[in-house]
Every structure is written in C-alpha cells, then in structure tokens.
C-alpha cells in the first residue's frame, strides 16, 4: 500500500540547510499496524506529513497504492487525502464551539459529499465505531474530556472510510489509563482490517 524509496527531506533557512530525512526507504502492506519510533527531532512527524501528503520530499519517491505521489499538484494531493487518509493528531484539532456530530461530518463536507442526511448517518456510524457515547453526540467538543475528544478525533478520521489511518502521538496528551483505552480502540480498528501508521517516542506504546 505504501512504498517509500530513498526519501530525503531538507529544510532551508537562509544559507543553512537541515537534513531531517536521509535516504529513508520502507514498505507498509495493507492491513499492517506500524509504529514509527524515534526521539524528538528525529523526523517522525516529517515522515507522517509526507505519508499524509501534507509535505513532499526534497528527493526520493513516495508510492501510495502504486501511484507516485511525490510530485502531485496541491489539488491532486487534497483529493487523495480526502478519500484515502485519516489523520489523528496529539493536539486533537477539533472545532471547539461545534457539536461532536458536526466535527465528525466536516471531512465529508470538505470532500464535497452534498447529501446532509448521508453525511450525518456516516458520522454516527464512525462515532459508534470509536465507542463514543451516543448521549453526547450533540455536545460541543469543548465540553468533553481528553479521552472523549480523542475518540471524536478518531471518528472524524474514520468517517471517510480511509485506506490508511495516520496517528501522530495519539496518546501524547492523555493520562495513562485513557491512553490504554485509546490504544485498545486503535488495535480493535486494526483487527477489523484498518491499516494504521502510528508515530510514538514511547517504547511501551510501540
């Protein structure tokens, strides 16, 4: 499903160059659950941004489902992101004064799905899959606990039925018991066939 060949990423600041990725190659097969590990500053998030088509390598090639995605236009990247990739972030990135249901349905709006009833039904389906309690679907996201917010974020990532779930330190802002709940949920999604790539710097999480 994913094949990266000799990825190099260089960030420039004036005359200074910082090589964040240096000749990185790997494959991820459909249905795998992969942890990307390393200390802070080692390039984990850069790898995730390239896999999620939020950034492009300076050199090298990234193939997604057999298609070279290294040199796509912004519109082509956005289209693939909307259809194939679900993101879960450490910082959650929900809209604070918006209901849970609306937050989860938003990716379908951005993707251009025009049927509001269908969007809502798919949002409910994703919330059920994430284990989020039904009696809180109409709560605003800023009225929720950290664990509940992350479950909403996972539902939002799942609503478009992505081929790949990219999770960047998904338990980084959670206490240990809530972290275990979220990891159990992600493992359950994987057992049901979801391909997962997760960034972490913690060996026990990996």
């Amino acid at each position: 499903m994913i094949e990266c060949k000799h990825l190099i990423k260089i960030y420039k600041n004036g005359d200074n160059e910082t090589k964040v990725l240096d000749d990185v190659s790997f494959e991820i097969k459909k249905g795998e659950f992969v942890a990307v590990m390393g200390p802070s500053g080692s390039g984990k998030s850069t790898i995730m941004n390239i896999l999620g088509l939020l950034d492009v390598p300076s050199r090298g090639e990234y193939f997604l489902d057999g298609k070279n995605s290294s040199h796509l236009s912004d519109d082509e990247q956005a289209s693939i992101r909307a259809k194939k990739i679900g993101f879960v972030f450490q910082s959650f990135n929900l809209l604070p004064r918006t209901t849970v249901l609306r937050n989860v349905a938003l990716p379908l709006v951005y993707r251009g799905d025009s049927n509001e009833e269908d969007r809502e039904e798919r949002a409910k389906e994703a919330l059920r899959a994430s284990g989020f309690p039904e009696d809180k679907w109409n709560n605003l996201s800023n009225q929720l606990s950290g664990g509940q917010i992350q479950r909403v974020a996972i539902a939002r990532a799942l609503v478009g039925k992505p081929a790949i779930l990219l999770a960047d330190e998904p338990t980084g802002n959670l206490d240990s018991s809530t972290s275990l709940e979220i990891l159990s949920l992600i493992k359950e999604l994987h057992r049901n066939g979801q391909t997962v790539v997760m960034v972490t710097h913690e060996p026990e999480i990996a």
Side-chain angles (χ1 to χ4, degrees), residues 39-112:
S40 296
S42 60
K44 303 186 303 297
S45 290
T46 301
I47 283 280
M48 191 68 86
N49 287 340
I50 289 174
L51 295 182
L53 298 176
L54 297 171
D55 201 354
V56 293
S58 303
R59 293 195 289 278
E61 295 177 309
Y62 167 34
F63 292 85
L64 177 57
D65 279 341
K67 182 175 183 178
N68 192 337
S69 304
S70 308
H71 308 291
L72 299 173
S73 70
D74 289 347
D75 286 348
E76 288 172 322
Q77 288 179 346
S79 176
I80 293 173
R81 274 198 306 271
K83 294 174 181 175
K84 292 194 173 185
I85 302 169
F87 296 93
V88 180
F89 301 98
Q90 179 179 347
S91 55
F92 312 132
N93 292 343
L94 298 183
L95 297 180
R97 290 178 296 279
T98 304
T99 67
V100 165
L101 203 57
R102 175 74 175 159
N103 261 294
V104 174
L106 269 177
L108 301 177
V109 177
Y110 298 144
R111 196 166 78 172

Side-chain angles (χ1 to χ4, degrees), residues 161-179:
K161 301 188 183 300
I164 305 161
L165 183 66
L166 300 180
D168 193 353
E169 301 277 10
T171 62
N173 282 335
L174 304 174
D175 61 60
S176 56
S177 62
T178 308
S179 295

Side-chain angles (χ1 to χ4, degrees), residues 106-168:
L106 269 177
L108 301 177
V109 177
Y110 298 144
R111 196 166 78 172
D113 292 9
S114 58
N115 187 314
E116 184 175 354
E117 188 175 323
D118 183 55
R119 290 198 306 264
E120 184 170 306
E121 194 52 47
R122 291 183 63 175
K124 290 177 180 178
E125 182 182 338
L127 283 163
R128 292 187 189 102
S130 76
F132 188 83
E134 191 167 339
D135 62 349
K136 295 184 184 296
W137 286 358
N138 289 312
N139 283 28
L140 303 183
S141 63
N142 58 2
Q143 299 172 330
L144 306 175
S145 68
Q148 289 173 336
I149 291 172
Q150 193 60 296
R151 285 181 183 273
V152 175
I154 290 171
R156 182 188 56 189
L158 295 174
V159 73
K161 301 188 183 300
I164 305 161
L165 183 66
L166 300 180
D168 193 353

